[in-house]
Amino acid sequence: MISVREGTSADRDFVIDTARRFAAFGPPPWRSALEVVTGEVRCLDEFFDGRLAGRTLLIAEDDATAAGFAFLEPAVDYFSGESHGHLGMIAVSERAEGRGTGAALMRAAEDWARARGYTKLTLNVFEGNTRARTMYERFGYKVETVKYVKTL
């Protein structure tokens, strides 16, 4: 049975270790694994050190063992100026893959957004992360913009 709870400082090691998996899921060739992991860990360190107000960390547990996390933050829509929720990170441990942990975290993230009165929840995903993109599309998420990058 997968349950989701709010994260605490005691979850720091699990979350940081699990965030290191982001490098394995489709970063483009101009982004090194080290760059991806360093950026995500830097954000999480700022959160755990109390430097990111208004963010929420959710922890999924499978039989009382941490299995995944979601990092949520408030955002403002560029076009409308409307406040909304943003799923900044979501990751599951390798042993939890394919067991419904990601889906449980997605439902909890949507509940988090609704509870704050948001009418939208956004997220970003590397183009090459087809497994995650498939899950997001099953949950009804649609591509809104496509970001192009050229290394100069």
Side-chain angles (χ1 to χ4, degrees):
M1 176 79 171
I2 297 169
S3 60
V4 179
R5 62 171 172 79
E6 199 156 323
T8 70
S9 60
D11 296 306
R12 185 179 196 142
D13 289 343
F14 167 77
V15 170
I16 298 291
D17 287 344
T18 305
R20 295 183 195 291
R21 299 193 70 219
F22 285 125
F25 294 99
W30 58 88
R31 297 267 185 213
S32 72
L34 178 62
E35 180 181 22
V36 170
V37 170
T38 299
E40 300 291 33
V41 169
R42 180 179 52 244
C43 177
L44 291 166
D45 278 337
E46 290 175 2
F47 170 77
F48 281 112
D49 292 344
R51 292 178 281 162
L52 292 179
R55 275 56 169 203
T56 299
L57 178 69
L58 300 177
I59 302 293
E61 293 182 325
D62 188 358
D63 290 329
T65 301
F69 77 92
F71 181 75
L72 297 146
E73 51 200 333
V76 175
D77 185 84
Y78 173 82
F79 300 106
S80 69
E82 176 186 8
S83 294
H84 66 276
H86 182 75
L87 178 55
M89 292 179 232
I90 183 170
V92 300
S93 66
E94 189 171 357
R95 71 164 184 78
E97 283 185 4
R99 298 175 50 103
T101 304
L105 285 165
M106 291 298 296
R107 286 189 294 274
E110 291 177 1
D111 290 344
W112 171 88
R114 283 186 201 96
R116 281 151 186 78
Y118 297 138
T119 59
K120 291 182 186 147
L121 183 63
T122 61
L123 57 86
N124 297 314
V125 62
F126 287 127
E127 177 187 25
N129 192 346
T130 54
R131 186 173 182 175
R133 291 176 65 185
T134 298
M135 181 180 74
Y136 302 146
E137 290 168 11
R138 271 197 331 263
F139 270 83
Y141 289 79
K142 306 286 185 212
V143 174
E144 181 176 55
T145 63
V146 178
K147 180 179 178 179
Y148 281 84
V149 176
K150 179 179 179 180
T151 301
L152 303 176

